[in-house]
């Protein structure tokens, strides 16, 4: 009888224990990673009628966009479309503008949460990927678990990896690379080791604990390795850092106190750097960008700053616990640097006083003691697919035809190593090369090889070389690619085909007809790249995106009476719209330009004072409001940009109409 009782107890308790440790769920699309890309993808797919689940390994939506990078890196905002643009418009509403590209973390988080709540999307936080089950080339199920080991098994028709790390991609058996390719791999010139002058130490900085004595050992943060020839491939990564949010509002400050594991020896290199380059201000060591409401977005600058060079090499392939220790090390280093600059007596008094005006903001990151939980994972794994975006795509030598987004930033890499060169400490890896037009990103670069997985999309850790990824890896571009990926996933489900079989023209047509994913009254844009809506008279310089036609016009000699005429789709819905002029500012522009507007009822002469336009942040362009007008599109309205023969060039790119009713 006793044996029978034990048997019955085991039979009836083991399944109960299993159900306490496991859950099972089934959705159309499972998105791993609640980054900005993950939110945009989830909203798009949900509004298309799909059941979507976001698994976020951490505890906050929005990734870096809500984690401190409020000084948007994009270069040319013209390429930001669809929901990504809608996001910056929603930020604009908060601040009373058309768009805001500079914003507080908490405001970005609130906008992301609005998308989630509006679409009623389920988000599971603090669960990390454990395993992936495949049948042939199809991912059937993934398993995620929280810190207590409770698992959720998720079946889905389509999966998306929207993490910065590419964990789902890797566990699904997709080819990828970590580190820098040798220049010879793709016949590039900017990949691999790059020893350059930007963000560099001046000559003469001694690397040894006792100056001039190599036997005393290297100072903290210097790698005991030799400099390889430029272009040499390796597994090293560009440095990570935190985009630091501080406040100088006395009513909103938490004092910068001595952090965990503080060690002033970590900052000895800064002291030696400033012996050669004396302090002038905090901007000597930090890119100290001001944000709304007395806050900052602080980034790395010069030889030693917020980048913890070399401390991230193990991060991409590390398990979750190891990653947390790497993130904590970066946090300790960064908080220690702020404390050091504000308190160490070797720092000039005027710098310490300047630093002490700032503190952690009381109204940000409440759940993590006012410190961002998002380390800037600039680069981790990168997929290797049928198309690898390279330096040649960035610089227009190779043009893809299956474009689903555009990139518009310089080829940008932070330093990857810090070592001794000719007896001096030097950084290595920084690249900042631009001078090219926005370039298209291939659909094939966000889907795995057909021979590997047929129901996974990877819009963040996409297929790109190290240096091309440095241009693509901007948050607005991730959002655009993620929306395209979500449309592709929906099309694949509806047609019961593999993700590689989706017709890119179908993606484009869907996005064109419903760019905001929920059929709100669309903006109307007329741009020089669409030659059917533009008429040109006179001598205008024509800048072209190779293979894609006109991209930008500007008056060559500013002869009076020349014009670029922008027309609008006569099928557009009539009503009130605010009109905007797209302005890529440069120092040689005319201070004022003349416009002629026909709204379908009357012709109106207008003036824009471009000399008064201020463009904040790292972007190079903005939309300038012309005014609000009642348009009748069946009457073929237009807006002309007219030259008047006065000094300065007149740019012509696009006219935007935004509905106000």
């Amino acid at each position: 009888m006793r044996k029978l009782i034990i048997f019955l107890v085991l039979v009836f308790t083991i399944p109960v224990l299993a159900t306490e440790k496991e859950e099972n769920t089934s959705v159309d699309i499972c998105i791993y990673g609640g980054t900005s890309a993950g939110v945009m993808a989830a909203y798009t797919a949900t509004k298309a009628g799909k059941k979507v689940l976001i698994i976020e390994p951490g505890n906050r939506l929005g990734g870096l966009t809500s984690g401190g990078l409020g000084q948007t890196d994009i270069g040319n905002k013209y390429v930001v479309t669809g929901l990504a643009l809608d996001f910056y418009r929603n930020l604009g509403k908060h601040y009373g503008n058309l768009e805001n590209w500079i914003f507080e973390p908490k405001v970005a988080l609130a906008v992301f949460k609005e998308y989630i709540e509006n679409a009623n999307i389920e988000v599971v936080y603090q669960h990390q990927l454990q395993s992936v089950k495949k049948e042939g080339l199809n991912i059937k199920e993934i398993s995620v678990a929280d810190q207590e080991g409770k698992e959720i098994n998720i079946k889905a028709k389509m999966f998306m990896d929207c993490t910065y790390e590419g964990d789902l991609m890797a566990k699904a058996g997709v080819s990828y690379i970590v580190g820098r390719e040798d220049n010879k791999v793709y016949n590039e010139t900017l990949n691999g080791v790059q020893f350059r002058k930007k963000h560099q130490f001046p000559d003469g900085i001694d690397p040894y604990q006792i100056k001039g004595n190599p036997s005393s050992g290297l100072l903290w943060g210097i790698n005991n390795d030799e400099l390889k020839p430029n272009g040499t491939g390796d597994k090293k990564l560009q440095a990570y850092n935190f985009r630091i949010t501080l406040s100088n509002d006395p009513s909103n400050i938490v004092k910068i106190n001595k952090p965990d594991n503080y060690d002033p020896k970590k900052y000895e290199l800064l002291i030696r750097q400033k012996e050669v380059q004396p302090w002038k201000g905090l901007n000597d060591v930090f890119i100290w960008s001001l944000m709304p409401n007395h806050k900052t977005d602080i980034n790395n600058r010069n030889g030693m700053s917020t980048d913890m060079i070399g401390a991230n090499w193990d991060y991409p392939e590390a398990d979750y616990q190891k990653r947390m220790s790497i993130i904590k090390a970066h946090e300790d280093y960064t908080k220690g640097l702020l404390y050091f600059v504000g308190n160490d007596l070797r720092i000039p008094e005027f710098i310490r006083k300047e630093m002490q005006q700032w503190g952690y903001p009381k109204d940000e990151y409440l759940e993590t003691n006012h410190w961002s939980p998002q380390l800037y994972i600039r680069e981790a794994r990168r997929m290797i697919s049928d198309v690898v975006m390279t330096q040649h795509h960035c610089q227009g030598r190779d043009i893809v035809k299956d474009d689903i987004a555009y990139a518009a930033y310089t080829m940008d890499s932070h330093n990857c190593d810090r070592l001794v060169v000719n007896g001096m400490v030097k950084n290595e890896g920084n690249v900042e090369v631009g001078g090219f037009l926005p370039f298209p990103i291939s659909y094939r670069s966000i889907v795995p090889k057909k021979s590997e997985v047929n129901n996974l999309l990877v819009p963040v850790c996409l297929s790109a070389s190290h240096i091309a990824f440095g241009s693509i890896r901007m948050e607005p571009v991730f959002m655009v690619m993620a929306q395209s990926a979500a449309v592709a996933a929906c099309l694949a489900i509806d047609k019961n085909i593999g993700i590689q079989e989706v017709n890119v023209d179908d993606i484009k047509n869907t996005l064109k007809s419903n760019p905001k994913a929920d059929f709100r009254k669309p903006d109307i844009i007329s741009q020089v790249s669409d030659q059917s809506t533009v008429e040109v008279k006179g001598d205008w310089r024509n800048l072209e995106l190779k293979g894609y036609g006109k991209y930008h016009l500007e008056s060559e000699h500013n002869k009076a009476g020349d014009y670029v005429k922008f027309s609008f789709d006569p099928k557009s819905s009539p009503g009130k719209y605010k009109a905007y002029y797209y302005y890529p500012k440069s120092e040689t522009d005319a201070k004022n330009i003349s416009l002629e507007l026909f709204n379908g009822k009357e012709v109106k002469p207008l003036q824009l004072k471009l000399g008064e336009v201020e463009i904040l942040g790292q972007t190079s362009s903005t939309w300038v409001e012309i005014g609000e007008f009642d348009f009748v599109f069946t009457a073929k309205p237009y807006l002309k940009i007219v030259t008047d023969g006065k000094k300065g060039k007149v740019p012509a790119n696009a006219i935007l109409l935004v509905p106000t009713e």
Side-chain angles (χ1 to χ4, degrees):
M1 175 64 82
R2 184 170 178 273
K3 290 182 178 179
L4 177 61
I5 291 172
I6 293 172
F7 173 76
L8 291 173
V9 168
L10 289 172
V11 168
F12 287 104
T13 58
I14 289 174
V16 172
L17 289 172
T19 57
E20 287 178 352
K21 297 290 288 184
E22 291 186 6
E23 293 181 18
N24 296 291
T25 188
S26 180
V27 296
D28 292 314
I29 301 174
C30 177
I31 298 172
Y32 188 62
T35 58
S36 60
V39 175
M40 298 295 102
Y43 185 87
T44 301
T46 302
K47 289 297 184 178
K50 300 297 183 281
K51 185 178 181 182
V52 178
L53 174 66
I54 295 178
I55 303 294
E56 166 48 41
N59 61 2
R60 187 179 175 93
L61 284 173
L64 195 62
T65 298
S66 65
L69 205 170
Q71 187 90 351
T72 305
D73 295 328
I74 182 60
N76 193 322
K77 293 179 293 201
Y78 193 65
V79 304
V80 182
T81 57
L83 272 182
L85 181 58
D86 189 63
F87 171 77
Y88 294 102
R89 293 272 176 87
N90 283 328
L91 290 170
K93 289 178 184 177
H94 176 86
Y95 292 107
N97 303 313
L98 172 65
E99 300 165 1
N100 256 73
W101 301 79
I102 298 176
F103 50 87
E104 300 158 88
K106 68 175 185 179
V107 177
L109 178 62
V111 172
F112 285 128
K113 286 184 174 180
E114 285 178 7
Y115 285 111
I116 296 297
E117 292 166 4
N118 178 278
N120 196 27
I121 299 165
E122 183 180 358
V123 182
V124 175
Y125 293 96
Q126 294 185 311
H127 279 66
Q128 294 82 46
L129 183 65
Q130 304 298 307
S131 63
V132 175
K133 294 181 181 178
K134 291 172 66 179
E135 289 184 6
L137 302 177
N138 195 261
I139 300 174
K140 301 301 291 185
E141 181 179 278
I142 68 170
S143 176
V144 298
D146 62 15
Q147 293 301 297
E148 283 72 46
K150 184 176 180 180
E151 292 191 357
I152 304 175
N153 302 314
I154 305 132
K155 293 182 178 180
K157 298 171 184 175
M158 284 284 156
F159 292 86
M160 292 181 62
D161 188 335
C162 289
T163 65
Y164 298 119
E165 295 85 0
D167 289 342
L168 177 54
M169 169 189 76
K171 283 189 180 294
V174 172
S175 300
Y176 66 88
I177 186 173
V178 174
R180 302 180 286 185
E181 297 93 346
D182 194 287
N183 267 333
K184 292 181 289 188
V185 174
Y186 299 116
N187 194 28
E188 296 173 302
T189 61
L190 298 173
N191 215 329
V193 170
Q194 295 290 320
F195 185 55
R196 291 167 171 260
K197 295 181 180 180
K198 192 78 181 286
H199 295 294
Q200 185 59 272
F201 286 96
D203 287 347
I205 306 298
D206 191 292
Y208 304 112
Q209 293 187 32
I210 299 174
K211 290 183 180 180
N213 184 1
S215 65
S216 66
L218 295 169
L219 291 175
W220 184 92
I222 302 175
N223 180 30
N224 188 19
D225 199 357
E226 65 178 31
L227 179 66
K228 302 292 193 302
N230 268 11
T232 303
D234 56 32
K235 298 297 183 183
K236 297 172 184 177
L237 297 169
Q238 58 176 311
Y240 300 166
N241 71 342
F242 285 95
R243 297 293 288 254
I244 309 166
T245 307
L246 299 180
S247 171
N248 67 349
D249 178 354
S251 66
N252 192 35
I253 283 179
V254 176
K255 186 179 179 182
I256 298 174
N257 290 317
K258 185 184 296 184
D260 296 340
N261 307 308
Y262 177 69
D263 182 359
K265 292 179 182 177
K266 293 179 179 179
Y267 314 106
E268 179 64 30
L269 270 176
L270 180 59
I271 294 297
R272 295 191 184 181
Q273 176 182 323
K274 301 316 288 181
E275 289 172 352
V276 177
Q277 295 175 327
W279 283 94
K280 296 179 181 178
L282 289 175
N283 265 300
D284 293 351
V285 173
F286 308 94
I287 297 178
W288 202 279
S289 301
L290 299 180
M291 310 300 289
N293 295 317
H294 305 279
K295 293 176 186 172
T296 64
D297 171 2
I298 299 171
N299 199 8
N300 181 83
R301 168 165 279 160
N302 292 331
M304 184 170 182
S305 184
T306 61
D307 279 358
M308 196 175 178
I309 298 171
N312 61 336
W313 295 348
D314 294 335
Y315 182 89
E317 302 282 29
D319 61 25
Y320 189 71
Q321 287 70 31
K322 174 68 172 176
R323 284 181 182 170
M324 291 302 100
S325 70
I326 293 172
I327 292 170
K328 183 62 165 67
H330 280 76
E331 178 182 339
D332 291 345
Y333 166 78
T334 311
K335 288 181 174 179
L337 176 61
L338 298 174
Y339 179 80
F340 181 83
V341 171
N343 294 276
D344 194 283
L345 295 180
R346 292 173 293 175
I347 302 296
E349 184 180 13
F350 77 97
I351 294 294
R352 282 184 276 131
K353 286 184 176 180
E354 186 179 357
M355 184 73 240
Q356 289 167 8
Q357 296 175 10
W358 297 88
Y360 305 120
K362 289 181 181 179
D363 62 345
E364 296 283 0
Y365 312 123
L366 304 186
E367 70 282 7
T368 52
N369 200 26
H370 314 291
W371 182 258
S372 173
Q374 182 59 62
L375 181 64
Y376 195 165
I377 311 300
R378 289 192 171 90
E379 188 173 346
R381 298 182 179 101
R382 302 188 311 280
M383 182 166 62
I384 302 174
S385 191
D386 290 331
V387 168
V388 179
M389 302 298 296
T390 69
Q391 179 182 343
H392 306 293
H393 294 101
C394 299
Q395 295 179 321
R397 290 184 292 275
D398 288 344
I399 304 291
V400 301
K401 297 296 185 181
D402 58 337
D403 53 291
I404 42 87
Y406 278 73
Y409 204 69
T410 59
M411 288 179 285
D412 179 272
S413 173
H414 282 233
N415 279 305
C416 302
D417 202 359
R418 178 176 288 152
L419 31 70
V420 179
V421 180
N422 298 325
M424 301 176 289
V425 61
K426 291 292 180 181
N427 294 333
E428 178 277 310
N430 187 85
V431 179
E432 297 173 56
V433 176
F436 47 85
L437 292 172
F439 62 91
I441 302 167
S442 170
Y443 174 67
R444 289 165 291 169
S445 73
I446 70 167
V447 297
K449 296 176 182 177
K450 192 174 181 180
S451 60
E452 294 180 344
V453 184
N454 64 13
N455 64 334
L456 173 68
L457 296 109
V458 187
V460 176
C461 295
L462 77 157
S463 179
S465 71
H466 157 71
I467 198 59
F469 189 80
S471 175
I472 296 169
R473 62 171 180 84
M474 304 303 155
E475 292 284 293
V477 179
F478 284 155
M479 289 190 241
V480 175
M481 290 192 294
Q483 185 176 13
S484 296
V487 171
C490 294
L491 289 167
I493 291 171
D494 293 343
K495 297 185 177 184
N496 194 28
I497 57 176
I499 200 64
Q500 294 86 358
E501 307 303 319
V502 173
N503 188 316
V504 175
D505 286 339
D506 291 341
I507 300 173
K508 292 180 180 180
N509 291 335
T510 300
L511 291 170
K512 184 176 181 179
S513 64
N514 188 18
K516 296 175 184 175
D518 54 10
F519 292 100
R520 281 174 284 167
K521 191 174 181 179
D523 299 341
I524 301 169
I525 189 167
S526 179
Q527 51 197 340
V528 295
S529 59
D530 183 3
Q531 299 180 26
S532 64
T533 64
V534 176
E535 176 186 330
V536 180
K537 177 191 174 185
D539 192 4
W540 293 79
R541 181 183 175 211
N542 178 12
L543 300 183
E544 292 196 6
L545 185 57
K546 188 177 178 182
Y548 284 82
K550 294 178 183 177
Y551 167 73
H552 168 80
L553 297 173
E554 60 186 39
S555 58
E556 191 75 64
H557 302 296
N558 199 349
K559 179 182 176 182
D562 289 350
Y563 64 78
V564 177
K565 177 182 177 183
F566 294 90
S567 302
F568 307 99
D569 186 350
K571 297 179 182 177
S572 300
S573 298
K576 292 183 179 180
Y577 292 78
K578 278 189 177 179
Y580 295 86
Y581 163 83
Y582 186 77
Y583 180 35
K585 188 173 184 177
S586 74
E587 294 181 357
T588 57
D589 294 333
K591 299 300 181 184
N592 301 291
I593 63 168
S594 300
L595 307 175
E596 179 182 295
L597 173 71
F598 174 54
N599 66 346
K601 300 176 181 178
E602 58 180 332
V603 175
K604 297 181 179 181
L606 302 166
Q607 285 280 322
L608 277 186
K609 297 181 179 181
L610 296 184
E612 299 177 2
V613 174
E614 183 179 8
I615 300 178
L616 300 175
Q618 296 192 45
T619 56
S620 58
S621 54
T622 192
W623 290 104
V624 179
E625 183 176 336
I626 299 170
E628 184 174 348
F629 309 96
D630 193 3
F631 284 89
V632 179
F633 292 100
T634 54
K636 299 182 179 180
Y638 63 82
L639 193 144
K640 285 183 181 179
I641 299 172
V642 184
T643 56
D644 57 11
K646 296 180 181 178
K647 185 177 180 181
K649 73 179 182 185
V650 177
N653 286 68
I655 300 297
L656 175 71
L657 306 182
V658 178
T660 59
E661 58 180 15

